């Protein structure tokens, strides 16, 4: 994609002003070296090359600006991040200075003592004032800030326009129609999944639970109780797991799939529909379906409604163990700056966390519209509890879905067991 005038003008007007951070004494390292090597961990995406190109540009500029400083970037798999990050927190010598992390991980990582409090630096950063409130909340724990928002992400329904046209199908307006349409595609073209789904794709599954009135948990302020086994939540679990069948997405192939797997399958032309994020756009564009797909909000239970999407997104933070605090905070700000976020939108389709940059992006690219509409219709988030990292790392929800899909347990049994595991985790953090 080439920059169109609105975003190009915005980029030209942006001045990256990373204020020199004030060193405070909440770092576990008493060093603040101004030279040496900074290690950075970023997530490996489906189709990672465009992301690497943007990051390389930021790194090159940073190294020119900071003589004697070098940056080493490693791209780590999202699925194994829990183990890698836990090891890094336990062994500062192997830890990065700066890392990308999911917004669901913030509370847990803060509780584990891994992230640096950058409240003062964030407040001094001139661009921070334009961060949207939801994104800022995703780096905030007990009023303190532990990173900078990198992008916001929501999921919507990707569908093959050529397949729909060929089969004379209408875009589904309800979840029931979604399942019916998926089965029509599979019946007419058995080499395709109708709607490709994944048993390990938690955030593709949750809109089915939320659209049916279910919740992950109830409570606030760190005190939560699981609600995944409620009657409404069970309706959503049943609706999602029923899609793992030979007439849509066979359990043998789909039960183990995660979100990246489903996007890869759709991009490769192996599915009529998929639930993908704005951040999946680059991978789909690079695939066989380029020019043969469209995106609409994922429909809810009632016609005209939009299923609540998970308010996803990633942040970039500095580890408490860094011996390069000033450099690390500066690099964090440059990696999450307006200029970088605009470039990441161009490269990957990541939605910016700055209101002005996102507005310019939405005006420029039509593909953003269904995601902005989904954001505007109301999103959901995971419980703001340190326990969520534990629940996520223990794959409590994927295990629940997979137990139902395999027939090992019924919906009530699997959701009841998942609720108990969640409550144990919530209880362990007080």
């Amino acid at each position: 994609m080439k920059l169109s005038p609105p975003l190009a003008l915005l980029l030209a007007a942006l001045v990256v002003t990373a204020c020199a951070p004030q060193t405070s004494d909440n770092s576990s390292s008493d060093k603040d070296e101004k030279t040496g090597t900074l290690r950075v961990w970023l997530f490996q995406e489906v189709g990672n090359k465009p992301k690497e190109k943007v990051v390389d540009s930021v790194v090159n500029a940073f190294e020119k600006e900071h003589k004697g400083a070098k940056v080493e970037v490693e791209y780590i798999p999202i699925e194994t991040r829990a183990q890698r990050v836990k090891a890094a927190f336990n062994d500062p010598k192997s830890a990065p200075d700066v890392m990308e992390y999911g917004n669901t991980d913030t509370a847990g990582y803060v509780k584990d003592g891994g992230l640096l409090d950058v409240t003062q630096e964030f407040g001094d950063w001139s661009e921070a004032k334009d961060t949207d409130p939801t994104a800022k909340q995703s780096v905030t724990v007990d009023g303190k800030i532990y990173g900078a928002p990198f992008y916001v992400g929501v999921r919507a329904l990707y569908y093959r326009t050529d397949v729909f046209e060929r089969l004379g199908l209408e875009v589904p307006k309800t979840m029931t129609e979604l399942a019916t349409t998926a089965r029509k595609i599979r019946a007419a073209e058995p080499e395709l999944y109708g709607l490709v789904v994944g048993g390990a794709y938690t955030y593709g599954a949750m809109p089915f639970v939320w659209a049916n009135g279910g919740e992950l948990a109830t409570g606030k302020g760190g005190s939560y109780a699981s609600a995944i086994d409620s009657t409404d939540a069970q309706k959503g679990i049943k609706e999602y797991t029923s899609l793992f069948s030979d007439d849509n997405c066979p359990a043998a192939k789909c039960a183990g799939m995660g979100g990246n797997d489903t996007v890869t399958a759709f991009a490769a032309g192996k599915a009529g529909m998929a639930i993908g994020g704005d951040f999946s756009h680059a991978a789909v564009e690079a695939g066989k379906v380029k020019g043969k797909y469209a995106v609409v909000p994922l429909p809810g239970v009632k016609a005209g409604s939009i299923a609540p999407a998970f308010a996803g997104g990633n942040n970039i933070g500095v580890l408490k163990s860094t011996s390069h605090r000033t450099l690390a905070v500066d690099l964090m700000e440059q990696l999450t700056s307006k200029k970088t976020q605009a470039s990441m939108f161009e490269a990957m389709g990541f939605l910016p966390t700055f209101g002005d940059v996102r507005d310019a992006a939405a005006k420029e690219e039509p593909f953003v519209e269904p995601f902005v509409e989904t954001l505007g219709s109301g999103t959901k988030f995971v419980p703001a509890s340190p326990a969520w990292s534990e629940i996520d790392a223990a794959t409590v929800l994927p295990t629940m879905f997979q137990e139902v899909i395999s027939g090992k347990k019924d919906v009530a049994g699997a959701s009841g067991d998942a609720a108990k595991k969640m409550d144990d985790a919530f209880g362990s953090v007080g």
Side-chain angles (χ1 to χ4, degrees):
M1 272 189 294
K2 289 187 177 179
L3 287 170
S4 67
L7 198 50
L9 288 171
L10 174 67
L11 276 173
L14 291 175
V15 178
V16 181
T17 53
C19 300
Q22 302 295 314
T23 303
S24 63
D25 56 7
N26 67 339
S27 172
S28 62
S29 171
D30 56 1
K31 296 179 182 177
D32 188 11
E33 298 165 3
K34 303 300 192 295
T35 60
T37 301
L38 275 76
R39 297 178 64 208
V40 179
W41 286 358
L42 300 176
F43 288 156
Q44 178 89 30
E45 311 290 343
V46 179
N48 204 53
K49 289 295 179 189
K51 181 177 183 178
E52 290 175 30
K53 192 173 178 182
V54 175
V55 172
D56 288 348
S57 176
V58 174
V59 167
N60 290 337
F62 180 86
E63 289 179 343
K64 283 180 184 175
E65 199 177 307
H66 300 278
K67 300 299 179 188
K70 293 289 178 188
V71 179
E72 290 180 357
V73 181
E74 181 182 353
Y75 293 89
I76 66 172
I78 296 171
E79 292 79 10
T80 57
R81 73 188 188 284
Q83 298 91 321
R84 290 287 302 270
V85 172
K86 185 176 181 181
F89 287 172
N90 291 332
D91 179 17
K93 288 181 182 177
S94 71
D97 298 272
V98 177
M99 75 173 184
E100 180 177 357
Y101 63 93
N103 61 7
T104 61
D105 296 325
T106 308
Y109 289 174
V110 170
K111 178 179 179 285
D112 291 341
L115 292 176
L116 185 67
D117 176 356
V118 294
T119 306
Q120 183 174 337
E121 292 92 337
F122 191 85
D124 290 342
W125 184 25
S126 62
E127 294 189 347
K129 68 182 185 305
D130 295 322
T131 301
D132 75 38
T134 304
K136 185 177 178 181
Q137 196 58 41
S138 76
V139 292
T140 305
V141 177
D142 294 333
K144 293 179 179 177
I145 293 174
Y146 294 89
F150 187 33
Y151 68 85
V152 61
V154 289
R155 292 164 178 84
L157 182 68
Y158 284 71
Y159 70 96
R160 288 277 298 277
T161 51
D162 58 335
V163 173
F164 273 61
E165 188 175 334
R166 194 160 59 235
L167 301 181
L169 298 172
E170 296 287 326
V171 177
K173 293 182 174 61
T174 66
M175 281 195 162
T176 300
E177 287 182 15
L178 179 68
T180 304
T181 304
R183 291 187 166 93
K184 285 179 181 176
I185 293 169
R186 178 79 171 171
E189 304 195 11
E191 73 281 6
L192 295 179
Y193 302 122
L195 170 65
V196 61
V197 285
Y201 189 9
T202 301
Y203 300 118
M206 289 318 299
F208 291 79
V209 173
W210 289 323
N212 279 281
E215 297 288 351
L216 284 168
T218 56
K220 60 181 179 179
S223 179
Y224 288 91
S226 176
I228 198 64
D229 58 344
S230 71
T231 302
D232 288 339
Q234 286 187 34
K235 282 183 200 169
I237 295 166
K238 186 175 181 181
E239 192 153 22
Y240 185 69
T241 54
S242 70
L243 294 165
F244 293 80
S245 55
D246 290 343
D247 62 359
N248 176 51
C249 201
K253 292 186 176 179
C254 303
M257 285 190 186
N260 282 357
D261 299 318
T262 65
V263 170
T264 299
F266 182 81
K270 296 178 180 176
M273 297 182 286
I275 298 167
D278 50 273
F279 43 85
S280 308
H281 179 256
V284 176
E285 276 289 292
K288 291 183 178 179
V289 298
K290 180 179 173 67
K292 298 183 287 189
Y293 74 94
V295 185
V296 293
L298 185 68
V301 173
K302 294 179 181 177
S305 68
I306 295 174
F310 165 65
N314 287 356
N315 305 321
I316 291 182
V318 175
L319 269 73
K320 216 173 183 181
S321 56
T322 185
S323 58
H324 299 91
R325 179 190 176 110
T326 300
L327 287 174
V329 173
D330 190 11
L331 181 57
M332 173 194 79
E333 290 177 354
Q334 292 194 28
L335 284 168
T336 58
S337 71
K338 291 185 177 184
K339 181 179 179 182
T340 302
Q341 289 196 22
S343 297
M344 275 294 180
F345 168 75
E346 291 292 327
M348 300 295 294
F350 291 172
L351 278 179
T353 64
F354 296 101
D356 52 349
V357 184
R358 189 158 68 217
D359 288 347
K363 286 175 185 173
E364 181 190 338
E365 290 292 349
F367 86 81
V368 174
E369 291 173 12
F371 300 105
V372 172
E373 190 181 346
T374 299
L375 273 170
S377 72
T379 55
K380 296 273 193 177
F381 196 57
V382 300
S385 166
W388 186 256
S389 292
E390 183 184 327
I391 292 165
D392 193 33
T395 65
V396 172
L397 295 179
T399 297
M400 174 188 73
F401 292 124
Q402 289 163 347
E403 286 173 343
V404 177
I405 293 161
S406 68
K408 186 177 176 184
K409 293 177 184 171
D410 61 13
V411 171
S415 63
D417 289 347
K420 185 178 184 305
K421 290 176 189 172
M422 289 173 71
D423 283 337
D424 287 345
F426 289 136
S428 71
V429 298

